[in-house]
Amino acid sequence: MAIQQAHPPSLSSSSSSPSSSSAYSVQHVSPTSPSRPPPPAAATAGALSSPAPATPLPSNLNVKTGLRALSHATRASLRALLLGYSVRSGLSLLLKLVGILTNKKKRNVAAVVEAVRACFTGAPSVRFGLFFGGFAFLWKLTNNLLVLHRRKQDRWNGFISGFVAGAAILVEKPSQRLVLGQQILVRGLQAVFNNLKFRGHFHFAHADSLIFALCTAQVMYSYAMQPSTIPASFYKFIQTTGPISEGSLQLARRATHAQQPLDPDAVFEAVVSHPRGRATMRSLVYAQHFDPATTSAKSMIPCELLHPHVDSCNAQGLSVLWGVFRLIFPVYASLNVVPALAFRLGQLANRPWPMLRRIVFNTTRSSLFLGAYVGAYMRLACVIRDLVNAGWLARDHKYNYWLIGFISSASIFIEDKKRRTELAMYVLPRGVSSVHNLLYNRRLTINVPHFDVLMFSTGMGLIIAFLQTNPDMLGGLVRGMMKEIDRWIEDGEDRVRGGGGGGGGGKSRVAVARGVGAEAGPAGASKVRRA
């Protein structure tokens, strides 16, 4: 029997849209006779699937249809392997080239050749390609086998196939599995949240901005006071873009945690070895005459230690904003250019100037947002010292660094509304992970073996479930990327189409291999259609 996927069933009958109330049925069509009347349609309901028809159809899974499903999954897997390898290698090369161009000491042909060799022959690119290919194979094979056996397409098919395909993450390193698992689970839960919001069960204005504020506050607190609770690579990134040296941070932790006198030698070293520039005369005089017995030295480190290369706190804040803007601009440019080259090459070729203007505008705005955040954080750290010197605060406290991180997050309103959601989803797992590590250090939580794989599989199960039924419930970035990936790896007629929106199935079409289930049996061909 040939299974033709039209519009998959709505998985919620409570939606007010006309499409969500339509019933779906399976009708037998004989190749030489007119269509028979469809059986009574079942009402759609449930969180993940619609109830089965009153008269379940027999499984259409056999050796021949199974081999066709295997062939289809293999083709998709090979395309996905090449796509994953190319995107990872291309992005790594672009970032390395940006680093070479911005570093005069490395600006030579040998460095470029080495960058090309490392990006296209390195293990990270190969692993990512294998992960991509393995995921596509397990996803397409499992989904097609479920369609053949169950004779219908619903969110259960998507969730099971996505969950099974999540095992491909085992190809990656444990550290990478943890990062991907956190991000993907958050994206899957975002789709669930959007679905509940659409159906009127939940709504909170500016929820994305609040999530961003809470999570960045936790991350910046961990960066300043509890660095062991965030990944070392993420800490290094903040340290690179941030204006406070490691020596000054260590002094701040000692002053706030232990409230003990600071070591004069450590103070002098933090002033003269600041990576942002030479210390001013004011800071050098402070370091040379530092008295560890003074009250101010016990309660906090002054601004002379926070930014010894600049005397003015206001000038330091503006300098930080501009410095972060210049540093991060090439990174954001790469993140905007690579997806355009990989997924929108046709639009870029047909309309180059509008696309380039959009890339430059988005890159500038994102760089300004991050620069404003770091600049505000630095200036507020100086405000805390002004309040202590004025007697409004008794001393510097470790939780002040959480508070100024929360206030600085107001810079997110510089970003576009859609980007705010993506930023919130990016920082949410890092903030939750930091809280978990803090609780684990105090023996209030436990570690679950292979929890990273479980997170990734669950998140991909949710994403694929909504992608194949209600793709509009996914976040814009995830929906766009998954559709483009499906467009590249799928056979021409088997791609996921655009969703019609809402809680119903809309106009989305689910990819099923051409010819899978073509064996007609005595009952003739089977066609899933809208009743």
Side-chain angles (χ1 to χ4, degrees):
M1 294 184 180
I3 298 181
Q4 299 176 354
Q5 282 299 95
H7 306 291
S10 166
L11 304 177
S12 169
S13 59
S14 61
S15 171
S16 60
S17 63
S19 62
S20 64
S21 61
S22 301
Y24 292 78
S25 63
V26 179
Q27 180 183 8
H28 292 280
V29 181
S30 174
T32 58
S33 62
S35 301
R36 301 176 185 176
T44 57
L48 284 175
S49 68
S50 305
T55 305
L57 294 173
S59 172
N60 199 30
L61 180 60
N62 54 51
V63 174
K64 191 170 183 178
T65 57
L67 289 177
R68 287 176 177 170
L70 179 62
S71 174
H72 167 258
T74 302
R75 292 194 302 272
S77 174
L78 292 176
R79 297 185 191 114
L81 189 151
L82 293 175
L83 177 63
Y85 171 80
S86 302
V87 171
R88 177 61 183 266
S89 301
L91 180 59
S92 300
L93 178 61
L94 186 57
L95 292 176
K96 284 184 177 293
L97 291 178
V98 169
I100 292 173
L101 292 176
T102 55
N103 191 331
K104 294 182 179 180
K105 296 181 179 179
K106 297 182 179 180
R107 200 178 298 172
N108 53 69
V109 177
V112 174
V113 173
E114 175 61 23
V116 173
R117 186 201 64 79
C119 292
F120 285 94
T121 63
S125 297
V126 175
R127 274 198 304 266
F128 193 76
L130 292 174
F131 154 65
F132 233 57
F135 180 87
F137 178 82
L138 293 174
W139 168 23
K140 298 299 181 180
L141 179 62
T142 306
N143 186 72
N144 285 337
L145 293 178
L146 287 170
V147 170
L148 287 167
H149 179 66
R150 303 180 68 220
R151 302 293 292 276
K152 64 179 179 179
Q153 181 66 284
D154 57 14
R155 284 188 193 169
W156 279 116
N157 287 359
F159 181 81
I160 295 172
S161 59
F163 189 90
V164 171
I169 196 66
L170 291 170
V171 176
E172 288 284 359
K173 286 185 175 180
S175 58
Q176 190 70 8
R177 293 203 298 260
L178 179 61
V179 174
L180 289 173
Q182 292 173 343
Q183 289 293 330
I184 293 300
L185 179 60
V186 167
R187 304 292 178 168
L189 294 176
Q190 181 189 13
V192 175
F193 167 81
N194 290 339
N195 193 34
L196 292 174
K197 179 180 177 181
F198 178 84
R199 297 165 64 179
H201 296 310
F202 183 82
H203 177 67
F204 191 93
H206 300 295
D208 47 5
S209 300
L210 180 59
I211 291 174
F212 177 82
L214 293 173
C215 293
T216 51
Q218 178 60 37
V219 167
M220 295 307 292
Y221 163 76
S222 298
Y223 152 72
M225 295 289 111
Q226 301 283 351
S228 62
T229 62
I230 57 178
S233 59
F234 192 48
Y235 177 79
K236 184 178 179 180
F237 167 75
I238 302 176
Q239 185 67 39
T240 302
T241 56
I244 306 177
S245 68
E246 180 63 25
S248 298
L249 284 173
Q250 291 179 359
L251 292 174
R253 292 165 193 153
R254 181 179 178 86
T256 54
H257 283 296
Q259 299 183 37
Q260 296 176 357
L262 302 178
D263 182 9
D265 293 335
V267 170
F268 186 80
E269 180 66 20
V271 170
V272 299
S273 63
H274 197 279
R276 301 298 177 185
R278 297 179 59 182
T280 63
M281 183 59 65
R282 172 184 169 185
S283 299
L284 288 173
V285 170
Y286 176 86
Q288 290 173 349
H289 298 85
F290 176 76
D291 182 7
T294 60
T295 303
S296 61
K298 292 181 181 180
S299 60
M300 68 174 185
I301 63 170
C303 292
E304 286 82 357
L305 295 183
L306 277 183
H307 46 88
H309 59 297
V310 179
D311 287 338
S312 170
C313 295
N314 291 329
Q316 166 66 1
L318 294 175
S319 174
V320 168
L321 188 156
W322 174 241
V324 173
F325 179 91
R326 289 193 307 166
L327 180 66
I328 208 66
F329 189 91
V331 177
Y332 274 120
S334 302
L335 295 177
N336 282 292
V337 169
V338 171
L341 292 175
F343 302 127
R344 298 179 180 176
L345 187 58
Q347 296 182 26
L348 188 60
N350 296 330
R351 304 178 59 197
W353 294 118
M355 287 286 292
L356 290 176
R357 284 197 300 267
R358 182 179 178 183
I359 289 174
V360 171
F361 178 77
N362 290 339
T363 300
T364 302
R365 181 163 57 182
S366 296
S367 302
L368 180 60
F369 144 72
L370 189 59
Y373 181 90
V374 180
Y377 187 88
M378 187 68 196
R379 186 62 187 90
L380 289 172
C382 295
V383 169
I384 296 296
R385 278 135 188 84
D386 294 338
L387 294 176
V388 172
N389 293 330
W392 288 80
L393 295 177
R395 62 181 181 87
D396 190 15
H397 195 279
K398 62 181 181 179
Y399 292 119
N400 289 336
Y401 296 91
W402 191 99
L403 179 62
I404 63 178
F406 183 85
I407 298 174
S408 301
S409 64
S411 61
I412 194 176
F413 290 102
I414 297 175
E415 274 285 16
D416 182 68
K417 171 63 178 176
K418 295 179 181 179
R419 283 284 299 156
R420 294 175 206 166
T421 302
E422 299 302 331
L423 287 169
M425 294 300 101
Y426 170 78
V427 76
L428 175 58
R430 300 185 183 278
V432 174
S433 176
S434 174
V435 173
H436 166 75
N437 291 333
L438 283 173
L439 296 177
Y440 181 77
N441 292 339
R442 299 176 183 178
R443 298 183 179 182
L444 297 177
T445 60
I446 61 173
N447 278 338
V448 179
H450 301 296
F451 190 66
D452 49 359
V453 181
L454 180 61
M455 285 193 299
F456 184 83
S457 293
T458 303
M460 286 310 308
L462 293 171
I463 289 174
I464 299 300
F466 282 98
L467 176 71
Q468 297 186 163
T469 54
N470 301 331
D472 286 342
M473 296 298 102
L474 296 172
L477 178 64
V478 175
R479 180 177 65 251
M481 289 184 62
M482 291 300 296
K483 284 187 178 181
E484 288 297 326
I485 290 171
D486 192 75
R487 184 176 69 85
W488 278 84
I489 70 175
E490 261 294 0
D491 297 332
E493 299 177 1
D494 301 325
R495 296 164 184 162
V496 174
R497 306 302 182 190
K507 299 180 181 179
S508 62
R509 179 181 180 274
V510 182
V512 180
R514 286 178 294 177
V516 172
E519 283 300 300
S526 171
K527 180 168 61 178
V528 178
R529 71 173 181 83
R530 222 170 160 169

